[in-house]
Amino acid sequence: MSARTLPLLFLNLGGEMLYILDQRLRAQSIPGEKARKDEWTDVDRKRVMNDIISTMFNRKFMEELFKPQDLYSKKALRTVYDRLAHASIMRLNQASMDKLYDLMTMAFKYQVLLCPRPRDILLVTYNHLDAIKDFISDSPGILNQVDETFRRLIETYNPLSDGEFQLIRQTLLIFFQDMHIRVSIFLKDKVQNSNGRFVLPISGPVPWGTEVPGLIRIFNHKGVEVKRAEFTTAGNYVTPQREGSFELYGDRVLKLGTNMYSVTRPVETHMSGSSKNLASQAKENIAPNPLAKEELNFLARLLGGLDIQKPAGGESGFRLNLFTTDEEEEHAAQTRPEELSYKVINIEATQEPARRAELSRILGELDVAEPRPGSAGKGEDLLALMDGL
């Protein structure tokens, strides 16, 4: 296991979460001058994105995240994203949060599988951060938080060897190995089978610094080439034109980690025996026009409405439903396997010994991975920091 994997896992999953939320919220936005008091506007969407990103890139939280440590358990990591998603006026119930987390994890798993070389996982992370910076381009303070994390990534990961990145990739694959949730966007593109396993391509660009397969060179004991033999490959391979930039700004070249939801189309997770295949019922618009009334109506039917909640303090909160209807959301919540369901745990972290003992007890129930010597203790610091943000 690599002790440098957690920041990459957290940032990439967080980037996928922001892609999904932005797409859902844009679909429900109504122009401010036309919206009623209880309707969702683009101002509300920006506020949600700003609040979540500001919390996600909190300086103290990032400092704790980047400490060398083992990955936390799936339940502990999921708790962090529960709190992130609810760091604003938006509210998700358990079924929609489950669905959101399924989409996040399967998207990043696919990206890790497709990385031409282990070091390219860093380019995937940079693509996510580049997109996040676009979300908050008009908020200089939050943008500075993201840039600070970006620089920390460069200082921490750019010097690592290829062997260390291979260990990071293996750690990520171990984390994802039992997740086989079907996602309609992958099923439609025929990159995922009906059993939830991905179909990996046998053609395309080879990793940077390698040659297109098809040639065998034979050398003698002095290192002199004495013979060549060619063979036919099953795939159609090409040499990449250039390497992606690992700096703060630049062309990443690699497209993995960019926003695949920028083109409007249905994105649903499918649980065997518990969810309906909405993708087969929805007619996809190949050339969507988000300004057209018909398209907005289609999106409303596809994504479901945003119901208004009245949280404490008198401020209206917005509930985001990632299912088509409230009925399907309730059905998913009722049929969700118990072992895949999670609850948001509120933890009040202080320096008092009694409170610290209680915090350790709660985190122990989350089955957090045991830390390595000198690393953060059982996920305590990260979750405590998140609770205080």
Side-chain angles (χ1 to χ4, degrees), residues 43-96:
V43 173
D44 297 318
R45 177 190 63 80
K46 290 182 178 180
R47 177 182 173 185
V48 168
M49 299 298 287
N50 285 355
D51 288 346
I52 293 177
I53 295 172
S54 177
T55 302
M56 179 177 173
F57 290 92
N58 176 274
R59 183 174 182 177
K60 291 183 179 179
F61 183 69
M62 284 293 113
E63 288 176 355
E64 194 65 38
L65 182 73
F66 273 80
K67 290 182 180 179
Q69 56 196 296
D70 284 345
L71 288 184
Y72 300 145
S73 69
K74 294 179 177 65
K75 287 187 177 181
L77 193 62
R78 164 62 189 272
T79 301
V80 174
Y81 288 108
D82 276 337
R83 294 179 185 170
L84 268 183
H86 295 91
S88 67
I89 59 175
M90 182 189 67
R91 295 293 175 263
L92 295 168
N93 72 12
Q94 180 174 315
S96 285

Side-chain angles (χ1 to χ4, degrees), residues 165-175:
F165 274 106
Q166 173 64 13
L167 186 57
I168 288 174
R169 182 176 186 271
Q170 287 299 112
T171 305
L172 289 171
L173 291 177
I174 291 171
F175 180 84

Side-chain angles (χ1 to χ4, degrees), residues 11-26:
L11 293 172
N12 283 288
L13 288 180
E16 289 299 321
M17 180 181 74
L18 291 169
Y19 289 164
I20 298 166
L21 293 179
D22 180 71
Q23 193 258 4
R24 298 300 196 267
L25 297 175
R26 284 183 184 276

